[in-house]
Amino acid sequence: MPSQLLSRDAPYIPSETALLLVDMQRIWLEPGLDPDHPERGPDHYFYRQTSSVTIPNNERLLAAARSNGIEVIHTIIQSLTEDGRDRSLDHKLTPIHIPPSNPAGLPPENLGPTNDEVLIPKTSSGVFNSTNIDYVLKNLGVRYLIISGIMTDQCVDMAVRDAADRGYYVTCVSDACAAASQERHDTALKAFGGYCWLANTATVVERLSTKASA
C-alpha cells in the first residue's frame, strides 16, 4: 500500500483485529491488595479513576469486541513459578512477584477471559519483550491492535510502542487506561501518542459495533 494511503486510524477489519487488556488484575484494581501501596485507600485517585471510568470503559470494550467477533487477549503480571525464580531481573529488583496460586493476580470476573480467550502471563513491563504474544497475534492474523489497561505510563506505554515497531496498526483507548495520577496519565499519552491512534471508548465501540470497516 502506498505510504500516502496509510493512516494510524485506518478502519478495522474485524477478522484482523484484537483487543488487548493490559494488567487488569484484582491485585492492582482492588484497594488493600497491592502490597507495594497498602496506604492507598478507596479514596485514592487511582482507585476512584479505575472504578468510575477505567473499569466501566473496559467492560464496554469487551462487550463490543465479543459481540462483533473481535479477538480478545488478556495479559497479566504473573510468575510461572511459585517462588518467582523465572522473573525478569527488573521484577526481582523492584520487587514484583505474583505467584500463579495467588487468586488476586487474576482479572476480576467482569474483566476476565471467557469463551476460550487468550490469557498471557508476563514478568516485564513490555508484553512483547517477555512473551510470545507477537507470535500468537500473527498466528491469529491480527494487524489491528486495540490496547487498554494499566498503567498508562508503564505497561500500556510499552505495549503501544512495541506493537507499533512490530508493524501493527495500534489504537490506544485513552479513557480505558489509568495511571497513578492524572498528570502521569496525560503525560504518557502525549509521549507515546505518535505511535498509535488515540481514541476514546465511545469512538472505538462505535467503530466496532457498526463494523464500519467490514
Side-chain angles (χ1 to χ4, degrees), residues 71-128:
E71 286 282 355
V72 177
I73 311 288
H74 307 257
T75 186
I76 59 173
I77 295 175
Q78 184 185 76
S79 301
L80 297 175
T81 56
E82 286 297 315
D83 64 6
R85 64 186 182 276
D86 62 286
R87 287 174 296 163
S88 65
L89 175 61
D90 178 64
H91 276 204
K92 290 173 180 175
L93 293 172
T94 300
I96 298 174
H97 172 48
I98 304 175
S101 63
N102 185 351
L106 296 174
E109 186 174 353
N110 57 324
L111 298 176
T114 62
N115 299 325
D116 207 29
E117 292 172 356
V118 175
L119 176 69
I120 300 178
K122 64 184 174 75
T123 57
S124 68
S125 293
V127 64
F128 283 88

Side-chain angles (χ1 to χ4, degrees), residues 7 12 39-40 44-45 82 96 103 108 110 139 152 165 207:
S7 174
Y12 304 136
E39 78 286 355
R40 292 180 180 174
H44 186 276
Y45 163 83
E82 286 297 315
I96 298 174
N110 57 324
N139 286 349
T152 317
D165 280 348
R207 178 172 287 194

Side-chain angles (χ1 to χ4, degrees), residues 59-70:
E59 291 175 330
R60 293 173 64 196
L61 290 170
L62 281 170
R66 289 166 177 165
S67 63
N68 288 282
I70 304 300

